[in-house]
Amino acid sequence: MVSGHLREQNGMFQMVLTWKDSSGKRRSKSLSTGLAVKGNKKRAEKMLLKARSEFNPDNYMPSTGMLFTDFLEKWLGDKVADISPDEYSDYIYYVRTNIVPYFSRHNADIKEITDEKLIAYFDNERNANGIGNKALLSINRTISIALDYAISIGWRTDNPACNINPCLVNTTPFFTSFLCDWLKMMKTQVAVTTYSAYANVMLNRIIPYFDEHHPSIRLNAITAKHIQDYYTYEMEVNHVSANTVKHRHANIHKALSYAYKTDMIQTNPADKVELPKVEKYSGNVYNKKQLEELFQAIKGDPAEFGVVTAAFYGLRRSEVVGLKWDAVDFEKKTITIKHTIQQTKVDGKLQIVPCDRTKTKSSCRTLPLVAPYEAILLKMRENQKENRKLCGSCYCTDYLDYIYVNEIGEIIKPDYLTTHFKAFLEEHNMPHIRFHDLRHSCATLLFAQGVPMKEIQAWLGHSTIGTAANIYTHLDENSKINSANAIIDIWEQKTDTQSISSPSVRSQNGAANGNRTRTVFGPRDFKSLVSTSSTMAACFHPIS
C-alpha cells in the first residue's frame, strides 16, 4: 500500500510517497510536481493520486550493477501496458537494433550514462552506421523516455538525453585523438629523445586511461576534475610517485596549452589542477671506503670504465658513453664534456641518439685530466688499436671517435650500464645504489672533504649553485661533527665543554683555529677545478 501527501517547498508542490518494504521498514520518496503552490492545489492532488496508483515499490531498489542494456529491457517490460502498440514496436526496434548492440560492447551501468557517452554513441551511429537525422531523433527520444522512467523509480536524478541534439555534428576532436595529433606535430619540433619521452607517457599511460574511463570525451569537454581524477587514479591504483605525476602533468599541460593558443579551447583546465607535494629525493651513496671496494671488485669488468668515470668525475650516464677522443687533451691534461649519447625508443624501435651538446649549457665543461685516469685512457686507446687489427673487417667503424666501445668497436649502450651495474652489485653482495648515484657519491665525497658547493657545481656541470645545493643538502657524519665543533668554539662556557673528536675537514671560510685545518678555496676557475681533482684523487687509492 502506497500512501502519500503534498508538501510545499520553495513555492512549489512536492509529492511524498511512503510505503513499507519487504523487511517492514518504512521508506519514502519525494517527487516534484512542477506546479507552483498558488492556484494549483487540485491539480497537484490529482497528480498525487495518479502517482500513488502507478508507483510500484518493487521497482524502487538499488540499481547497482544493472547495465543500461538490461535496464532498457526492464523498461520495455514494465511499460508494455502503458504504451500504444505502434509506439511500443518503434521502441523495441530502436532498442534492440540500434541502442543495445552499441552499449553491450561498452558495459555501461544505468547510472553511468552521461551526455558524453550519448554523444559518442550518436557519432558512431552517424559515421559508422550511416544513420540519418530522422532516425537519430527517434532513437534519442526513445533513450530520453527510458531515462525519464529511471528517474521516476529513483534510479537516476537526471536525464542527459534531454540536452543533446543527436543531429549536431561536433567538429571538436576527441581528447585522445587530439593528443595523438599533438604528438605527431611535436615529433618534427623537438629532439628525438624529448619526443620519445612524450610518446611513452601519452601512448602508454595517459591515452589508455582516458580511453577506458572517459571514452570519446571531446577536447572541449575536458575539465580540471577529469585531469585531477587521473592523477588520483595513478597514485592510488598504480602507486606512482608525486614526481611522476608532476612529469605527466607537464605533458598534459603542454598539449592543452597548444590547444588554447590555437583557439581549440577557451581555457586550459590543467591550470586549475592541484598537484601533489613532491618529496625531495634522497638517494643512496657510497662513501670513500665503499668506492675503493667497488673499484677493486669491478676491475676487468666491461662496466669498469663507466663506473670509475661516473664516480671520479661525477659524469652522467649519457656523458660517460658520449666521451670522444677529441675531448681529451693529453698535452694540456684536460678532458672536455661536450658530447652525449642517449638510448631511446621511437615508434617501438630502440635508437642510439648521439648529440653534440650536453644537458644544459653549464654541463659543457673542461676538467683536469688526473694521472690515474690518463693511464686508463692510454691503455684503452692501445686496446682499441689492437682489437681493430684482430677483428679486421668485422670491427665496427661507426664509433671510431668514441672512447667507450667494446672489443668489436660497438658503443657501450647507456641502458647496459644501468642494468649491468645493478646485477654486478647483487652478484658481489654490495649495497644497492643506482648508476646515477655514483655521481651523487662523487658530490657527497667532495662536500665531505670541504670542497665548496660552488666548485662542486662546476665539477658536476649544474646550471646554478641552487641546483647543486638542493640535490646535495645531505652531510656525512664528519661534516655534522665539525659543524658541532664550530658552534662549541663560540660557546660562552667553552672551558666546560669538550670538543667532539673527528678528522679535520676543509671548510669554505675562516682561518686556522686550534688544531683544525681550514682551507679557503678561490673563485670558480680552472685552478679551483684542479684543486677539486686533487681532492678526489686523494680520496682513493690509484685507479689502475
Side-chain angles (χ1 to χ4, degrees), residues 256-268:
L256 291 175
S257 292
Y258 170 76
Y260 173 70
K261 289 178 182 177
T262 53
D263 297 324
M264 299 176 75
I265 53 177
Q266 300 274 329
T267 60
N268 186 342

Side-chain angles (χ1 to χ4, degrees), residues 85-210:
D86 290 341
E87 278 188 308
Y88 189 76
S89 64
D90 287 342
Y91 293 157
I92 287 181
Y93 175 80
Y94 290 128
V95 166
R96 296 177 179 173
T97 305
N98 299 94
I99 305 172
V100 167
Y102 175 87
F103 283 98
S104 62
R105 298 194 301 269
H106 293 80
N107 295 325
D109 186 278
I110 175 62
K111 291 184 176 180
E112 295 173 345
I113 297 299
T114 60
D115 53 354
E116 65 187 55
K117 282 185 170 63
L118 292 179
I119 290 173
Y121 163 67
F122 287 120
D123 284 345
N124 180 79
E125 289 294 275
R126 184 188 310 107
N127 300 323
N129 298 328
I131 303 300
N133 289 344
K134 184 177 180 180
L136 290 175
L137 289 170
S138 297
I139 294 170
N140 189 56
R141 179 171 177 269
T142 301
I143 294 174
S144 181
I145 293 173
L147 292 179
D148 278 340
Y149 177 65
I151 294 173
S152 70
I153 61 175
W155 286 14
R156 286 190 66 97
T157 59
D158 65 326
N159 188 341
C162 294
N163 305 317
I164 291 175
N165 181 352
C167 304
L168 182 64
V169 179
N170 194 336
T171 57
T172 303
F174 296 118
F175 179 54
T176 52
S177 298
F178 161 75
L179 292 179
C180 290
D181 291 340
W182 177 79
L183 266 181
K184 292 177 183 177
M185 179 199 69
M186 295 303 291
K187 190 174 184 179
T188 62
Q189 298 190 18
V190 297
V192 174
T193 51
T194 304
Y195 167 75
S196 175
Y198 287 157
N200 180 55
V201 171
M202 289 291 186
L203 298 177
N204 297 323
R205 300 296 178 182
I206 299 173
I207 290 176
Y209 169 85
F210 281 94

